[in-house]
């Protein structure tokens, strides 16, 4: 995006269903699982580049032998750093101990990271410290093998305070209020409880303590632990976990906000945030990769049995539409088509903005992620022109001359690569007066790509804050001397904060909010803004289920077109020569393009959980009181 948005995160769980010897025999290496995890994390690096982590569990290790390994990194290339560390450990062990080289048992026993259960995570730090302590997977250790818990997730909880209080009521003393810690401790509490109950039961059956251990692993009901732990979670999440003895799971929130896909054959089970990553890494077809249903968990027992189980009653499906517009890789079959459809559906608005003058219009895109919607836009422009040409040819009839025919056929959309991001440029000077000039040069342009007085249409994934547009993109595009610059957002206006994992927390950051605020000032309706503030204040002590999103009233007096027009005015630099128009996708077109992902709360304010409505009201209170802080 021209205004980059961060979000959390990407997960990969791999469970090898065969003995490690099998993979050495078939694929030539005991490191099959580690290699696949490296590829899974790299194929999802778009989901997080602030940190990465990897953990593994070895099955059936003897007492005193290490069975869990974990490595995390916050280096500039964290995935490469993690696997460089793993590679060094493996190579050092093989070099120092040549007898390990062809002996799978010795390698498994003595070399870390080689396991049957593997969990990887890539992270964007949306807020808080980007330190190694914030990087998943998180580890909860215990001398009882079954009570060891490793957790990683793509999630954000809106009710961390409530979850924290729940832990205190259970008698715990959590070390911090972070949602990752509270979630892990909640699972850990019910894991401890389940193991203790099983032990007492097995002891009554006459088994001794050593005999009890494998029986606990066999009888442990992961679904029961998850149902108790997740009972009060409010948020969007795909939560992955491994227990020390080898059980593993991935749980998806009941609204399906965050994505989860899985593939299983007789060799492997793999779960990930992106379907295309699984397809590419394991060379399987689209139909073989299944989507994990909302509220369900895929549970893989130590013995290799795999089940998908309903943990929480599914709610109305509200899968995040931003996943489709921007976050997920566009190589997914469905997402590729959906992004093209977004470009196609917005074309009629573009046609109106250029007064139907395709001949004198140049079409382009910023940034590279917008290329797919750009292709859809161009294809629709071609379809439009083909119909016009057909009408013209039929009108001229059989007496049409070759010259007339060629003149008609020669009209086509003018496609140019107008803007290029200079990836190497860093705006390292912090003083605003100096920094703005550097920001203006983050993008470069293709001189000569636009004729003087042409229309210039630039499509983007979305326009959130508009900062880069105003300070850089519009200024540099204006150097091409177009008559009019039309900036097109393939997403609707972002009006409300997200609280389920995307880094959009403050209302006043959104250009749509700023535009509506300016309209209130112009229409002398700031009294209404004050009334909304008081309505939000009155709900602070209201139960979550009864909370109303009163921030919708802030936008209600104005049409989407009015707000878009004001956005164009706010983002136009004072010294720009070209006319600027901003076009946003409609909500209706978004739903038509992405029919399975109707989660649109950042556009509509229709939050899928009560916690979302509490967050948006808190965000408005913060804005009105001038508090520059997050609402969650």
């Amino acid at each position: 995006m021209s205004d980059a948005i961060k979000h959390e995160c990407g997960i990969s769980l791999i469970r090898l269903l065969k003995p490690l010897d099998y993979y050495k025999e078939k694929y030539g290496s005991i490191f099959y699982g580690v290699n696949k995890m490296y590829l899974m994390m790299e194929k999802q690096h778009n989901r997080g580049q602030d940190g990465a982590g990897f953990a593994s569990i070895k099955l059936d290790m003897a007492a005193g032998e290490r069975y869990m390994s974990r490595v995390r990194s916050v280096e500039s290339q964290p995935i490469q750093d993690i696997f460089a560390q793993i590679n060094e450990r493996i190579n050092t062990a093989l070099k120092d101990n040549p007898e390990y080289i062809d002996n799978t048992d010795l390698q498994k026993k003595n070399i870390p990271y080689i396991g049957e259960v593997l969990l990887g995570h890539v992270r964007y730090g949306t807020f808080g410290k980007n330190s190694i302590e914030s990087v998943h997977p998180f580890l909860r250790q215990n001398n009882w093998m079954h009570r060891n818990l490793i957790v990683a997730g793509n999630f954000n909880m809106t009710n961390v305070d409530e979850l924290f209080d729940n832990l205190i009521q259970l008698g715990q003393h959590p070390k911090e209020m972070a949602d990752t810690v509270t979630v892990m401790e909640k699972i850990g509490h019910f894991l401890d409880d389940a193991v203790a109950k099983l032990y007492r039961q097995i002891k009554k059956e006459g088994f001794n303590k050593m005999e009890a251990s494998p029986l606990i692993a066999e009888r442990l009901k992961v679904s029961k632990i998850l149902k108790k732990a997740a009972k009060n979670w409010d948020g969007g999440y795909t939560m992955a976990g491994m227990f020390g003895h080898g059980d593993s799971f991935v749980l998806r929130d009941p609204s399906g906000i965050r994505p989860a896909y899985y593939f299983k054959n007789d060799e492997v089970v793999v779960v990930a945030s992106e379907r295309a990553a699984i397809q590419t890494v394991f060379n399987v077809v689209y139909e073989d990769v299944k989507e994990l249903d909302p509220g369900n968990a895929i549970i893989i027992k130590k013995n290799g049995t795999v089940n998908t189980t309903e943990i929480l009653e599914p709610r109305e499906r509200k899968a995040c539409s931003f996943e489709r517009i921007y976050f997920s890789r566009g190589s997914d079959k469905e997402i590729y088509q959906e992004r093209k459809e977004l470009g196609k559906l917005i074309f009629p608005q573009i046609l109106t903005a250029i007064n139907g003058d395709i001949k004198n219009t140049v079409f382009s895109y910023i940034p590279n992620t917008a290329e797919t919607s750009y292709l859809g836009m161009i294809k629709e422009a071609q379809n439009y022109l083909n119909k016009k040409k057909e009408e013209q040819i039929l009108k001229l009839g059989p007496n049409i001359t070759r010259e007339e025919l060629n003149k008609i056929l020669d009209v086509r959309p003018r496609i140019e690569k107008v803007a290029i991001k200079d990836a190497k440029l860093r705006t390292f000077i912090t003083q605003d007066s100096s920094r703005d000039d550097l920001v203006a040069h983050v993008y470069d342009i293709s001189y000569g790509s636009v004729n003087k007085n042409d229309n210039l249409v630039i499509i983007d994934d979305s326009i959130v804050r508009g900062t880069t547009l105003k300070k850089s993109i519009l200024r540099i595009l204006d150097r091409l001397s177009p008559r009019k610059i039309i900036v097109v957002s393939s997403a609707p206006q972002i009006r409300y904060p997200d609280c389920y994992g995307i880094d959009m927390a403050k209302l006043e950051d959104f250009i749509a909010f700023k535009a509506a605020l300016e309209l209130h000032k112009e229409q002398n309706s700031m009294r209404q803004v004050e009334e909304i503030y008081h309505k939000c204040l009155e709900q602070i002590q209201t139960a979550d289920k009864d909370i109303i999103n009163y921030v919708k009233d802030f936008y209600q007096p104005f049409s989407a077109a009015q707000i878009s027009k004001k956005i164009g005015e706010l983002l136009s630099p004072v010294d720009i020569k070209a006319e600027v128009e901003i076009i946003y996708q409609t909500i209706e077109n978004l739903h038509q393009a992405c029919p399975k992902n109707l989660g649109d709360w950042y556009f509509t304010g229709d939050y899928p959980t009560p916690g979302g409505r509490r967050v948006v009201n808190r965000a408005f209170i913060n804005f009105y009181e001038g508090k520059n802080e997050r609402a969650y």
Side-chain angles (χ1 to χ4, degrees):
M1 293 188 177
S2 51
D3 290 327
I5 299 177
K6 293 184 174 184
H7 78 134
E8 301 179 308
C9 295
I11 61 150
S12 304
L13 178 78
I14 295 176
R15 169 61 201 273
L16 303 179
L17 298 175
K18 303 282 190 183
L20 293 178
D21 270 330
Y22 173 90
Y23 304 96
K24 187 176 189 301
E25 176 101 13
K26 183 170 181 179
Y27 299 106
S29 174
I30 190 178
F31 311 119
Y32 173 83
V34 176
N35 291 336
K36 290 296 186 187
M37 180 57 77
Y38 168 68
L39 291 170
M40 286 299 299
M41 291 172 70
E42 279 289 8
K43 293 298 178 184
Q44 296 185 104
H45 81 273
N46 54 296
R47 306 187 69 84
Q49 295 163 37
D50 289 341
F54 168 87
S56 65
I57 289 176
K58 303 179 182 189
L59 302 180
D60 301 315
M61 300 298 282
E65 294 176 347
R66 183 175 178 179
Y67 58 93
M68 294 193 305
S69 302
R70 179 182 64 157
V71 57
R72 300 180 293 174
S73 175
V74 288
E75 295 298 313
S76 59
Q77 299 289 331
I79 301 172
Q80 289 90 331
D81 182 53
I82 281 172
F83 286 93
Q85 292 183 52
I86 292 171
N87 198 40
E88 185 178 355
R89 288 288 297 273
I90 291 171
N91 287 338
T92 300
L94 293 176
K95 183 181 176 183
D96 294 346
N97 304 277
E99 67 275 16
Y100 294 176
I101 291 173
D102 291 316
N103 191 316
T104 304
D105 291 337
L106 287 176
Q107 287 184 25
K108 179 180 174 179
K109 180 178 178 180
N110 295 294
I111 301 178
Y113 310 116
I114 302 170
E116 292 89 348
V117 197
L118 312 166
L119 179 59
H121 187 268
V122 290
R123 176 180 187 265
Y124 264 138
T126 57
F127 64 98
K129 301 182 293 291
N130 191 35
S131 62
I132 197 73
E133 289 80 16
S134 304
V135 178
H136 304 206
F138 279 64
L139 175 60
R140 186 180 192 262
Q141 288 183 287
N142 194 288
N143 264 355
W144 280 57
M145 180 183 278
H146 319 84
R147 292 186 178 182
N148 284 287
L149 173 64
I150 301 173
V151 171
N154 168 20
F155 71 100
N156 199 61
M157 300 297 175
T158 68
N159 62 333
V160 178
D161 292 357
E162 178 191 345
L163 298 177
F164 185 82
D165 290 340
N166 287 345
L167 290 175
I168 293 171
Q169 289 164 19
L170 290 170
Q172 292 194 17
H173 190 92
K175 62 180 182 179
E176 57 180 300
M177 203 185 277
D179 54 4
T180 310
V181 172
T182 52
V183 164
M184 181 173 65
E185 291 301 335
K186 198 84 181 286
I187 298 171
H189 168 80
F190 290 108
L191 172 62
D192 288 347
D193 191 47
V195 170
K197 285 177 180 175
L198 281 171
Y199 172 65
R200 288 195 296 270
Q201 180 184 325
I202 289 166
K203 193 177 176 184
K204 281 182 182 176
E205 294 173 16
F207 295 95
N208 63 37
K209 292 179 180 179
M210 286 189 66
E211 292 168 331
S213 192
L215 292 172
I216 291 172
E218 186 182 312
R219 298 184 190 181
L220 192 67
K221 295 192 184 307
V222 179
S223 59
K224 198 170 182 180
I225 293 167
L226 294 177
K227 283 177 182 177
K228 290 180 178 178
K231 184 179 178 182
N232 297 322
W233 291 355
D234 187 299
Y237 52 87
T238 297
M239 203 73 62
M242 308 187 292
F243 301 138
H245 63 278
D247 286 358
S248 56
F249 67 87
V250 177
L251 169 64
R252 191 179 185 196
D253 69 83
S255 300
I257 294 169
R258 302 259 67 89
Y261 299 90
Y262 67 94
F263 164 73
K264 176 189 177 297
N265 61 15
D266 62 345
E267 294 182 352
V268 67
V269 181
V270 57
V271 191
S273 298
E274 301 219 11
R275 172 170 42 203
I278 299 174
Q279 283 187 254
T280 300
V281 173
F282 289 89
N283 190 25
V284 294
V285 298
Y286 172 89
E287 290 75 18
D288 288 340
V289 183
K290 310 299 181 187
E291 184 175 3
L292 184 60
D293 289 334
N296 277 240
I298 182 167
I299 297 169
I300 308 145
K301 289 292 290 177
K302 176 184 177 291
N303 63 12
T305 59
V306 183
N307 289 294
T308 55
T309 307
E310 184 179 298
I311 303 299
L312 299 164
E313 184 179 348
R315 303 192 190 114
E316 182 183 2
R317 182 185 166 93
K318 289 290 183 180
C320 173
S321 57
F322 241 130
E323 286 282 352
R324 322 300 280 188
I325 296 166
Y326 175 63
F327 291 132
S328 293
R329 281 197 168 192
S331 53
D332 182 277
K333 177 184 173 183
E334 281 189 351
I335 293 172
Y336 181 72
Q337 293 301 327
E338 288 167 7
R339 290 183 184 176
K340 284 178 70 176
E341 189 71 7
L342 287 167
K344 171 189 171 182
L345 292 173
I346 205 165
F347 179 74
Q349 289 177 253
I350 297 168
L351 197 62
T352 301
I354 63 173
N355 293 317
D357 186 9
I358 290 181
K359 186 176 179 180
N360 295 303
T361 299
V362 172
F363 295 90
S364 194
Y365 59 92
I366 298 177
N368 288 342
T369 51
E371 184 176 6
T372 308
S373 57
Y374 168 75
L375 292 174
M377 175 183 72
I378 291 301
K379 187 174 181 182
E380 190 61 14
Q382 291 167 336
N383 290 339
Y384 168 79
L385 281 177
N386 286 343
K387 288 177 184 174
K388 296 288 286 185
K389 291 174 185 179
E390 182 183 59
E391 290 171 8
Q392 289 174 299
I393 292 167
L394 290 173
K395 188 176 180 181
L396 288 169
N399 297 323
I400 189 170
T401 66
R402 186 180 296 274
E403 282 184 1
E404 288 172 328
L405 181 61
N406 287 336
K407 187 177 179 182
I408 293 170
L409 294 177
D410 198 43
V411 179
R412 55 178 60 86
R414 291 167 57 196
I415 301 167
E416 301 288 352
K417 180 79 171 175
V418 169
I420 308 103
K421 189 168 187 178
D422 193 336
K424 296 190 176 93
L425 193 64
R426 295 287 180 268
T427 52
F428 56 89
I429 296 174
T430 55
Q431 288 181 323
D432 287 344
S433 57
S434 302
R435 191 174 183 274
D436 282 356
D437 184 54
L438 289 172
V439 170
H441 293 83
V442 168
Y443 284 87
D444 206 349
I445 49 170
S446 301
Y447 291 99
S449 58
V450 177
N451 297 327
K452 192 170 184 179
N453 294 324
D454 276 340
N455 297 309
L456 176 56
V457 174
I458 297 282
I459 192 166
D460 195 350
D461 307 288
S462 70
I463 304 165
V464 186
R465 303 175 185 93
T467 310
T468 312
L469 260 180
K470 182 168 187 173
K471 291 190 173 183
S472 175
I473 295 171
L474 288 173
R475 287 183 183 278
I476 200 136
L477 292 178
D478 195 45
R479 296 182 183 186
L480 296 170
S481 300
R483 182 183 66 80
K484 186 176 185 181
I485 301 171
I486 299 107
V487 183
V488 182
S489 169
S490 69
Q493 295 168 3
I494 295 170
R495 300 181 172 192
Y496 304 91
D498 182 72
C499 51
Y500 305 119
I502 303 172
D503 186 23
M504 300 191 298
K506 301 173 189 173
L507 280 168
E508 58 270 32
D509 284 348
F510 305 140
I511 190 61
F513 185 86
K514 290 178 180 177
L517 184 63
E518 284 300 311
L519 289 170
H520 275 293
K521 291 175 181 176
E522 290 173 7
Q523 297 190 10
N524 297 316
S525 56
M526 289 301 288
R527 178 79 179 265
Q528 185 179 354
V529 177
E530 184 181 355
E531 288 171 0
I532 295 167
Y533 164 68
H534 287 297
K535 286 179 180 178
C536 292
L537 272 181
E538 288 166 6
Q539 290 194 108
I540 286 178
Q541 301 303 323
T542 305
D544 280 354
K545 65 182 178 64
D546 299 321
I547 290 178
I548 297 168
N549 177 5
Y550 284 116
V551 184
K552 285 186 176 185
D553 297 345
F554 179 78
Y555 295 100
Q556 191 275 329
F558 315 115
S559 68
Q562 282 178 291
I563 293 173
S564 290
K565 185 180 179 186
K566 181 55 66 177
I567 289 171
E569 293 172 15
L570 293 177
L571 294 185
S572 297
V574 290
D575 54 349
I576 196 168
K577 301 182 194 72
E579 178 189 348
V580 174
E581 183 172 348
I582 309 288
I583 294 173
Y584 282 91
Q585 188 72 264
T586 66
I587 303 293
E588 295 75 22
N589 283 350
L590 172 70
H591 291 170
Q592 184 178 332
C594 309
K596 296 180 184 177
N597 285 54
L598 300 177
D600 60 4
W601 51 92
Y602 16 71
F603 309 126
T604 63
D606 296 332
Y607 287 88
T609 75
R613 298 192 292 274
R614 182 176 294 282
V615 164
V616 70
N617 286 339
R618 166 52 63 189
F620 196 87
I621 293 168
N622 288 346
F623 146 72
Y624 196 86
E625 295 179 353
K627 293 178 180 175
N628 185 27
E629 59 185 53
R630 306 177 67 88
Y632 60 89

